C-alpha cells in the first residue's frame, strides 16, 4: 500500500525539500519527490505510478502537495503551497501541517537559509517528530518566520547552528517573539550534524550517544537529499542525518563519532545490538571507499575484557627509609 499523498519540490529549491520533511511524520506520512522546475522527470513519474497515492482523510483527499515552483501532476488531486522566498514557503508548509493535523507543533527548528549544509539535519528530525523547520538569515529573522512563531508563542524554539551561521542578534530577535529559545550546533556542517545527533532536551533531540541505532549519511553539497531521505529517519531503525563534506572518505569528526558508537559483544554476537547506516547518493556524492570505511566503523566487533595480568611492567621497589636526622628528630608529621 502506497502513501496517502506525496510532496513534490523542485530539485533546484532545496529549502522547500528540507522543510517538507515534517509532512512525513504521522499521521500524514507524505514522502518527498523531486521535479525539475515545472517538468516531471521520468524517474519521478514512474515513482508516482508505483506509489499510487490515493488521498486520505488526513490529507483532505489530496494526493499531492506541490511546493513552490515544482511541477503539478495533472492526474492527481493537488494542493499548492506557495512562497516568494524560502522563509515564506517554509512557513506555508508549517501552516499546512498544523491545519491538516489540527495540532500546534511541540517544538520549532529555526535553521539557516543561507548555509543549507547546517540546515540539513533538521529534515530528519522533522520527519520523525513533525516539528516544522523555519528559516532565518545570519543576522535577521524574516517576517514570515516571526509571524509563524507569534502564532505558537508557547512553543519551544531550537536554533540549529553556531553563532557564525545564526548570530546572537537572531537569537535575541527570536526571544522577543518566542517563549523559549535554545541553541544547538557546532562549527562545521559535519560537527554540527553530530552535535544535533547527540543533543537531548526533554522530549526534543535524538540523544544518540550509544550503539544500536540507524544513521543516514548524505553529502553536504546536496542539501535536497536531506528531504528526500527523511523517511529513512522516521521508520525502521530510526536515526539522525549525518553529513559529510568529502566524498572519498569519512571526515575525522564523522569517523570518530561512528567509532565512539561502534557496537560490540563479549560472548554471543546474536545478543548484541547493531548500527545500521544508509548512504544517500551516487558514487560522486559518497564513494565506494567511503562506504567501505563506514561498514568497518559500523561493524559489530568482539570486546575482550581485562585479564587482570600486569601489563605495565614490574612493580617499582619500595623507596628506602631515610636515616633519622638528629636536627629534625621529634618534628616529623604523619601525612594525611
Amino acid at each position: 500500500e502506497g502513501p496517502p499523498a506525496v510532496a513534490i519540490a523542485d530539485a533546484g529549491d532545496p529549502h522547500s525539500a528540507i522543510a517538507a520533511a515534517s509532512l512525513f511524520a504521522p499521521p500524514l506520512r507524505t514522502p518527498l519527490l523531486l521535479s525539475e522546475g515545472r517538468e516531471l522527470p521520468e524517474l519521478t513519474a514512474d515513482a508516482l505510478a508505483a506509489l499510487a497515492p490515493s488521498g486520505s482523510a488526513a490529507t483532505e483527499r489530496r494526493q499531492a502537495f506541490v511546493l513552490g515552483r515544482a511541477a503539478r501532476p495533472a492526474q492527481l488531486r493537488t494542493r499548492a503551497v506557495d512562497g516568494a522566498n524560502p522563509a515564506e514557503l517554509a512557513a506555508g508548509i508549517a501552516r499546512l501541517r498544523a491545519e491538516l493535523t489540527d495540532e500546534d507543533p511541540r517544538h520549532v527548528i529555526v535553521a539557516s537559509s543561507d548555509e543549507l549544509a547546517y540546515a540539513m539535519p533538521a529534515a530528519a528530525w522533522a520527519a520523525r517528530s513533525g516539528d516544522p523547520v523555519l528559516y532565518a538569515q545570519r543576522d535577521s529573522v524574516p517576517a514570515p518566520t516571526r509571524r509563524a512563531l507569534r502564532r505558537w508563542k508557547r512553543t519551544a524554539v531550537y536554533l540549529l547552528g553556531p553563532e557564525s551561521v545564526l548570530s546572537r542578534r537572531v537569537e535575541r530577535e527570536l526571544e522577543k517573539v518566542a517563549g523559549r529559545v535554545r541553541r544547538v550546533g557546532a562549527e562545521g556542517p559535519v560537527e554540527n550534524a553530530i552535535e544535533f545527533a547527540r543533543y537531548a532536551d526533554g522530549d526534543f533531540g535524538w540523544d544518540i550517544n550509544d550503539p544500536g541505532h540507524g544513521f543516514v549519511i548524505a553529502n553536504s553539497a546536496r542539501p535536497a537529499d536531506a528531504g528526500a531521505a527523511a523517511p529513512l529517519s522516521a521508520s525502521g531503525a530510526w536515526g539522525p542525518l549525518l553529513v559529510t563534506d568529502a566524498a572519498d572518505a569519512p571526515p575525522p569528526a564523522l569517523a570518530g563519532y561512528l567509532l565512539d558508537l561502534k557496537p560490540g559483544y563479549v560472548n554471543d554476537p546474536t545478543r548484541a545490538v547493531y548500527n545500521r547506516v544508509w548512504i544517500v547518493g551516487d558514487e560522486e556524492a559518497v564513494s565506494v571507499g567511503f562506504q567501505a570505511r563506514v561498514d568497518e566503523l559500523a561493524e559489530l566487533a568482539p570486546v575482550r575484557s581485562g585479564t587482570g595480568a600486569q601489563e605495565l611492567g614490574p612493580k617499582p621497589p619500595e623507596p628506602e627509609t631515610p636515616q633519622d636526622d638528629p636536627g629534625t628528630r621529634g618534628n616529623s608529621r604523619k601525612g594525611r
Side-chain angles (χ1 to χ4, degrees):
E1 183 179 353
V6 298
I8 302 176
D10 178 13
D13 180 20
H15 296 87
S16 60
I18 292 172
S22 65
L23 300 178
F24 187 77
L28 303 180
R29 289 302 190 190
T30 300
L32 177 73
L33 296 175
L34 297 173
S35 71
E36 295 175 349
R38 299 291 185 182
E39 299 296 322
L40 208 62
E42 183 178 354
L43 281 171
T44 300
D46 290 346
L48 274 174
L51 292 172
S54 57
S56 69
T59 65
E60 296 182 342
R61 301 300 168 188
R62 299 295 204 283
Q63 296 166 283
F65 301 107
V66 180
L67 311 177
R69 58 177 183 265
R72 179 178 298 204
Q75 72 275 22
L76 300 183
R77 298 185 299 275
T78 62
R79 174 171 171 175
V81 181
D82 297 317
N85 53 62
E88 188 173 343
L89 189 53
I93 293 169
R95 286 196 304 273
L96 171 64
R97 177 174 173 84
E99 178 185 326
L100 292 175
T101 61
D102 195 26
E103 292 179 355
D104 289 342
R106 301 182 66 177
H107 322 93
V108 173
I109 301 176
V110 176
S112 170
S113 60
D114 299 325
E115 298 191 48
L116 286 180
Y118 286 87
M120 289 173 68
W125 177 258
R128 169 186 164 167
S129 65
D131 294 343
V133 180
L134 302 177
Y135 288 117
Q137 296 169 307
R138 184 186 184 281
D139 291 312
S140 63
V141 180
T145 298
R146 290 199 303 270
R147 286 195 294 268
L149 292 176
R150 287 193 184 102
R151 280 195 298 274
W152 303 316
K153 285 186 176 181
R154 297 185 179 180
T155 301
V157 175
Y158 292 86
L159 199 58
L160 179 58
E163 291 185 16
S164 62
V165 173
L166 294 167
S167 68
R168 278 285 297 137
R169 179 176 178 180
V170 166
E171 194 170 345
R172 287 191 294 268
E173 282 192 42
L174 291 172
E175 287 171 346
K176 292 178 182 178
V177 296
R180 179 185 176 215
V181 178
R182 296 286 185 273
R183 181 189 295 271
V184 52
E187 288 291 347
V190 177
E191 293 80 359
N192 185 71
I194 293 169
E195 185 70 18
F196 190 36
R198 287 189 178 277
Y199 184 80
D201 181 30
D203 60 351
F204 179 87
W206 291 102
D207 192 17
I208 304 298
N209 293 290
D210 54 2
H213 302 282
F215 300 92
V216 182
I217 300 177
N219 195 306
S220 60
R222 296 172 40 153
D225 287 1
L232 296 174
S233 295
S235 55
W238 307 42
L241 174 70
L242 305 172
V243 303
T244 177
D245 55 8
D248 56 342
L254 177 57
Y257 179 58
L258 293 176
L259 184 61
D260 192 30
L261 304 183
K262 186 177 179 67
Y265 68 94
V266 176
N267 296 314
D268 186 355
T270 63
R271 305 289 181 186
V273 298
Y274 295 84
N275 288 342
R276 295 169 174 82
V277 184
W278 288 267
I279 293 179
V280 180
D282 59 13
E283 292 179 22
E284 291 185 5
V286 180
S287 72
V288 173
F290 186 114
Q291 180 178 345
R293 177 60 176 147
V294 169
D295 282 339
E296 190 178 298
L297 292 167
E299 185 180 13
L300 187 67
V303 176
R304 185 170 64 90
S305 61
T307 62
Q310 176 60 253
E311 297 179 356
L312 300 178
K315 184 178 179 181
E318 294 290 336
E320 294 184 7
T321 304
Q323 297 295 323
D324 286 341
D325 184 345
T328 60
R329 188 177 292 130
N331 292 326
S332 61
R333 295 186 180 180
K334 186 177 182 180
R336 291 189 300 170

